[in-house]
Amino acid sequence: MISGIKVKKGKTYMKKHIFVIDDEKDIREILKINLESEGYSVSLFASTVEVIKGFESTTPDLIILDILMEGKDGFEFCRDIRSDKKLKSIPIIFLSAKSEEFDKILGLELGGDDYITKPFSIKELRSRIKAVLRRSGEPLEERRGKLLKYKGVELNPEQYSLKVDSEEIKLTKTELNMLSLFMENPGKIFTRDNIINSVRGEDVFVVDRTIDVHIMNLRKKLGTYKNIITTFSGVGYGFKE
């Protein structure tokens, strides 16, 4: 945990506030310029040690986090954030030169909301930020009331209904929850643990070894649209437009 942090409450920002933690000055400045042009408020930090003081003045809406830094690295810092009661709900996007499959899996399993490798596209990063902020800021009941559409696939989570090319398809509750998760977050990769934590409830039992079975059943029911559920080898699953 990050001990000794006093999170200031009652301070409201009209703009979404983003913390950028990266030891490369050029990266920090590029992100600041581009994110501020998008209407965000941005605070820059060269290390995870520096950001401790930042938490004392405000709680950010999102953290963009490098991994390879002096002192405590990004993985350790993410673990600390997720262990802190006051900070654990802050979304984290890893932005790192570490591009190995193992690193991506580790980042997501430690609690990262997304993982982007350097060199990166500013356009893609802006899109990922918007998606993560949308997910974190929208109440579950509001998300569930939305009609989700992609080509001939039409999912109504509130009514527990799926139509594929206008044909009504029956889904189990777990299948519906998983498909909702994917369609609400196009482009995001979910590890099996992410999926389990997102879809399980009091009357839903999901474990790691059953995820692949649910995915297989969903693909069968989606028919010609089965490939919208993409397998990211060694990482997990997601929705790809």
Side-chain angles (χ1 to χ4, degrees):
M1 293 181 64
I2 303 179
S3 59
I5 288 184
K6 296 179 180 179
V7 180
K8 188 171 182 179
K9 296 182 179 180
K11 190 170 183 178
T12 303
Y13 290 89
M14 293 182 67
K15 297 180 179 180
K16 293 290 186 181
H17 197 109
I18 297 176
F19 279 9
V20 174
I21 311 170
D22 197 300
D23 62 355
E24 295 182 61
K25 184 177 179 180
D26 289 346
I27 295 290
R28 295 197 303 271
E29 294 300 328
I30 288 171
L31 290 178
K32 181 177 177 64
I33 292 169
N34 282 275
L35 295 179
E36 286 185 344
S37 72
E38 288 288 304
Y40 299 111
S41 175
V42 181
S43 295
L44 305 179
F45 305 91
S47 70
T48 54
V49 174
E50 286 187 14
V51 80
I52 302 301
K53 292 183 179 179
F55 283 126
E56 294 177 358
S57 60
T58 187
T59 303
D61 296 287
L62 181 139
I63 296 172
I64 296 177
L65 180 63
D66 188 18
I67 294 173
L68 297 174
M69 293 178 283
E70 289 187 10
K72 184 171 290 187
D73 67 22
F75 286 148
E76 292 179 276
F77 185 74
C78 180
R79 186 184 291 111
D80 288 346
I81 291 290
R82 295 295 177 245
S83 300
D84 193 291
K85 291 182 180 180
K86 298 176 182 177
L87 307 174
K88 65 180 181 180
S89 62
I90 301 173
I92 295 173
I93 296 179
F94 282 106
L95 182 63
S96 174
K98 291 173 74 67
S99 59
E100 295 297 321
E101 185 177 87
F102 169 80
D103 297 311
K104 295 178 183 179
I105 294 171
L106 179 59
L108 294 170
E109 291 188 341
L110 286 174
D113 293 86
D114 209 339
Y115 193 111
I116 301 174
T117 57
K118 300 176 182 176
F120 61 96
S121 158
I122 286 291
K123 184 177 180 180
E124 179 186 5
L125 177 61
R126 288 199 301 253
S127 177
R128 299 282 191 95
I129 288 172
K130 288 178 182 177
V132 170
L133 287 174
R134 185 170 60 247
R135 291 198 302 269
S136 64
E138 193 173 31
L140 179 61
E141 58 271 17
E142 289 185 18
R143 299 203 306 269
R144 284 297 173 85
K146 288 185 177 179
L147 187 65
L148 303 169
K149 292 183 179 180
Y150 177 72
K151 294 186 177 180
V153 179
E154 187 175 296
L155 181 68
N156 190 324
E158 189 174 28
Q159 296 181 6
Y160 286 83
S161 69
L162 170 68
K163 289 184 180 179
V164 177
D165 289 334
S166 300
E167 181 183 352
E168 195 80 32
I169 305 295
K170 291 184 178 181
L171 292 178
T172 66
K173 185 170 184 179
T174 300
E175 291 167 352
L176 177 125
N177 287 340
M178 289 175 65
L179 186 57
S180 296
L181 179 69
F182 295 149
M183 293 185 71
E184 287 167 359
N185 304 286
K188 177 172 171 57
I189 304 171
F190 293 93
T191 65
R192 287 172 175 78
D193 283 344
N194 290 155
I195 296 171
I196 291 169
N197 291 334
S198 296
V199 307
R200 66 184 173 190
E202 293 181 1
D203 54 347
V204 176
F205 180 70
V206 187
V207 294
D208 184 272
R209 64 181 180 273
T210 68
I211 293 296
D212 295 341
V213 176
H214 290 304
I215 293 293
M216 180 181 67
N217 291 337
L218 264 178
R219 284 175 171 156
K220 286 181 180 178
K221 293 180 179 183
L222 288 168
T224 56
Y225 301 101
K226 63 182 180 181
N227 290 330
I228 63 174
I229 299 179
T230 303
T231 301
F232 296 88
S233 181
V235 182
Y237 298 99
F239 178 88
K240 188 172 183 178
E241 296 180 295

